[in-house]
Amino acid sequence: MSEIHADKIAPSSITIAGWVRTRRGSKKFSFLEINDGSSAKSLQVIVDASISNYSEIERLTTGCSVKIQGNLVLSPGKGQKYEMQATEVSVFGLADPETFPLQKKEMTLEYLRENAHMRVRTSTYSSIFRIRSRVSFAIHRFFVERGFSYVHTPILTTADGEGAGESFKVTNFDMAKVPKTKQGQVDFEQDFFAEPSMLCVTGQLEGELLTMGLNKIYTFGPTFRAENSNTSRHLAEFWMVEPEVAFANLEDNMYLAQDMIRYVVADVLENCSDDIDVCVQKTQNDTRGYLKMALENPFIRVSYTEAIDILKKSGQNFENPLFWGCDLKSEHERYLCEVHFKSPTIVYDYPEEQKAFYMYLNDDGKTVRAMDVLMPGIGEVVGGSQREDRENILIERMKAKGIDASHMDWYVSLRRYGSIPHAGFGLGLERLIMWITGMGNIRDVIPFPRTPGNCKY
Ligand code: 4AD
Ligand code: MG
């Protein structure tokens, strides 16, 4: 109930509208906890039995929606500073306790995931989604304050931006002509765009193009990956923040990622403390300690080669093979930042074979100027790089990775006319929110999770 300002309180008449979280009471009066969704805090409302529709009030249960008029007064009870004495209550909608799935008793996250359309009505998820809103807003402010232009890159594209073949194909068809019973078996064969098109896996390549005229840009939009990984860190549709900076190198990129994450953390700690409290209570994972640490200490930087050394010397029995050139798996990433450094960690200069075609090839010919930012409890939150700005080397790397450079000449040509050193990264919004809220499953930080086998709601 965010609109109530403590400093203005004299007994004053107010009107609120919201949902009943709980009701307890007797024949003489009822205590209602009302929440209107604007903050984690509910308002306690006392309804005296002398009110004309008291029998209706006695039927109120969790989830009912009401409008209440009354006076806001200092509360004599513990747990809240103010309470409301109702003079009039009208009921918008009842919520039959026999069928309404959310009741007073605490629901598990697993249960709520099965009833995803109900989640936002719980205190945990409404707090998470308010934090998500605040984080998004802080990200925009961070970039705008630094002179970045916010650009919109396409969602429909013909370029597989990561060259990883994990995209969703796009086709057109006339749903109206398909009988309802056959809709699962539609033949999706037409190509609207004359060439195969897909949902974007990244906005980076178009973002690079836009830096050529705008200097510093960022995108912030949905991206889609058809990787069939049913893990607690992967979604088929997730939101990515992608800055791209002209005349920047890998080190500038590291500072930018660190500054952005710290800016967001400071903002959330200052403005979302009630919502963080709700998350901590649910997960028993008090994230504030490590969030504050991240504000105070620079992120650790370690090259991939040093990281492999550390992992080899760790004496850990990792499930996945460990050798120079191997892909760092989640268990490796988490060992580095959670156990070894106990800090957000930036791993840089990865083997060339592992990374995408657009990354700058180092003089050793073996590594590229890539960076991943790893967070304790999560692993990779940011992936980025300095971009290859030499046309001939870019074409060679595309060839080696089986990518048709002529098909992407618009991209290659950025290196032909007024080429510039430039760098950028992608931050997975949901992974950042997992780290901030302490939630262990990525499905719990997005209102409508899309995962293999699940595109409901
Ligand atoms: O490391 P990725 O694949 O990098 C890119 O897409 C670059 N084009 C970004 C750039 O340089 N502009 O993805 C970036 C981040 C990852 O670090 C991770 O946080 C998130 O996006 N991410 C996912 N989040 C949820 N579900 C998935 N399937 C994700 N795949 C990547
Ligand atoms: Mg990555």
Side-chain angles (χ1 to χ4, degrees):
M1 316 295 273
S2 56
E3 66 274 32
I4 295 164
H5 300 292
D7 52 350
K8 294 202 188 126
I9 302 294
S12 57
S13 179
I14 60 165
T15 302
I16 61 166
W19 292 270
V20 176
R21 279 270 156 87
T22 59
R23 185 192 76 86
R24 63 195 163 83
S26 64
K27 288 265 168 269
K28 291 195 177 144
F29 45 79
S30 287
F31 287 104
L32 303 176
E33 289 290 332
I34 305 293
N35 187 283
D36 71 356
S38 63
S39 91
K41 287 249 185 318
S42 298
L43 182 63
Q44 174 166 282
V45 180
I46 298 146
V47 190
D48 196 274
S50 60
I51 205 164
S52 62
N53 57 340
Y54 193 66
S55 58
E56 201 181 6
I57 307 307
E58 284 182 301
R59 284 169 48 218
L60 291 179
T61 49
T62 303
C64 295
S65 49
V66 290
K67 181 168 142 190
I68 306 178
Q69 265 176 3
N71 295 314
L72 196 63
V73 296
L74 286 169
S75 173
K78 280 193 186 147
Q80 68 276 322
K81 205 163 174 193
Y82 303 101
E83 62 188 24
M84 184 177 180
Q85 287 169 345
T87 52
E88 208 178 311
V89 181
S90 44
V91 178
F92 290 118
L94 294 172
D96 181 356
E98 295 298 318
T99 52
F100 184 56
L102 308 181
Q103 295 303 328
K104 262 190 210 172
K105 108 175 155 43
E106 189 81 7
M107 304 281 158
T108 65
L109 294 171
E110 289 73 26
Y111 171 83
L112 289 165
R113 238 172 263 142
E114 295 294 308
N115 290 274
H117 59 299
M118 288 287 167
R119 298 188 307 173
V120 74
R121 296 174 181 230
T122 66
S123 54
T124 306
Y125 286 98
S126 50
S127 283
I128 294 169
F129 299 148
R130 272 190 299 272
I131 292 172
R132 185 179 168 111
S133 164
R134 185 80 212 181
V135 166
S136 307
F137 178 60
I139 288 169
H140 280 296
R141 225 183 26 227
F142 172 85
F143 286 115
V144 171
E145 278 175 8
R146 278 157 189 74
F148 283 66
S149 293
Y150 172 37
V151 299
H152 300 124
T153 49
I155 286 174
L156 295 175
T157 177
T158 55
D160 177 5
E162 289 299 300
E166 287 171 336
S167 40
F168 288 101
K169 186 180 176 200
V170 173
T171 46
N172 62 307
F173 65 99
D174 188 346
M175 199 68 167
K177 290 197 185 131
V178 182
K180 281 250 170 324
T181 49
K182 291 257 167 71
Q183 283 181 358
Q185 309 151 29
V186 179
D187 186 12
F188 299 99
E189 281 308 319
Q190 306 167 56
D191 274 324
F192 185 90
F193 295 110
E195 55 181 312
S197 56
M198 58 200 118
L199 297 179
C200 65
V201 293
T202 172
Q204 176 196 321
L205 305 193
E206 295 85 353
E208 282 184 61
L209 183 153
L210 292 167
T211 57
M212 295 300 288
L214 294 171
N215 196 307
K216 289 192 280 192
I217 61 95
Y218 73 103
T219 69
F220 189 166
T223 42
F224 308 86
R225 304 241 168 136
E227 46 195 343
N228 200 8
S229 36
N230 220 336
T231 77
S232 58
R233 305 189 314 150
H234 289 88
L235 290 165
E237 176 179 307
F238 63 98
W239 283 66
M240 192 154 40
V241 178
E242 294 184 272
E244 194 67 36
V245 184
F247 311 106
N249 62 22
L250 188 64
E251 194 178 15
D252 301 324
N253 212 25
M254 291 182 192
Y255 278 119
L256 185 67
Q258 175 184 292
D259 290 353
M260 183 197 69
I261 290 170
R262 285 172 150 189
Y263 182 97
V264 171
V265 166
D267 186 279
V268 169
L269 285 175
E270 191 179 333
N271 294 292
C272 300
S273 61
D274 291 339
D275 288 319
I276 298 266
D277 283 347
V278 171
C279 296
V280 170
Q281 209 183 340
K282 187 75 184 174
T283 59
Q284 299 298 308
N285 172 7
D286 195 344
T287 56
R288 277 168 295 215
Y290 64 69
L291 293 179
K292 284 188 186 138
M293 252 179 59
L295 287 183
E296 284 155 16
N297 305 299
F299 297 0
I300 301 283
R301 294 179 185 185
V302 62
S303 73
Y304 170 90
T305 303
E306 288 162 332
I308 291 289
D309 262 4
I310 292 169
L311 291 166
K312 276 189 179 158
K313 288 184 189 144
S314 69
Q316 297 288 306
N317 232 341
F318 293 115
E319 273 178 26
N320 296 283
L322 192 61
F323 54 93
W324 196 97
C326 74
D327 197 12
L328 289 185
K329 299 288 186 202
S330 171
E331 57 172 348
H332 303 133
E333 293 178 347
R334 292 186 58 175
Y335 177 84
L336 286 170
C337 59
E338 267 166 61
V339 184
H340 189 81
F341 291 120
K342 299 184 176 55
S343 159
T345 301
I346 306 179
V347 181
Y348 61 93
D349 283 354
Y350 280 77
E352 177 275 323
E353 292 107 48
Q354 266 183 35
K355 292 288 184 184
F357 63 92
Y358 52 70
M359 297 187 181
Y360 192 98
L361 187 66
N362 277 317
D363 291 344
D364 61 14
K366 290 193 315 195
T367 59
V368 283
R369 291 190 192 164
M371 65 174 211
D372 279 1
V373 181
L374 314 179
M375 289 302 185
I378 311 290
E380 180 190 340
V381 168
V382 166
S385 61
Q386 183 175 331
R387 316 307 188 188
E388 183 54 77
D389 54 50
R390 298 159 296 186
E391 183 181 358
N392 56 339
I393 298 182
L394 178 65
I395 292 174
E396 267 170 39
R397 288 203 67 223
M398 290 174 93
K399 253 193 220 144
K401 289 184 186 287
I403 298 165
D404 181 2
S406 63
H407 180 248
M408 286 172 65
D409 192 59
W410 64 269
Y411 179 73
V412 177
S413 77
L414 307 180
R415 282 77 182 157
R416 200 171 302 144
Y417 312 110
S419 185
I420 48 166
H422 61 293
F425 62 80
L427 166 98
L429 180 69
E430 288 76 17
R431 300 231 181 130
L432 179 67
I433 295 171
M434 286 174 78
W435 181 65
I436 289 175
T437 58
M439 300 305 288
N441 193 316
I442 200 163
R443 293 164 180 78
D444 292 333
V445 299
I446 184 164
F448 303 100
R450 269 81 178 97
T451 49
N454 180 25
C455 192
K456 211 172 164 189
Y457 313 116

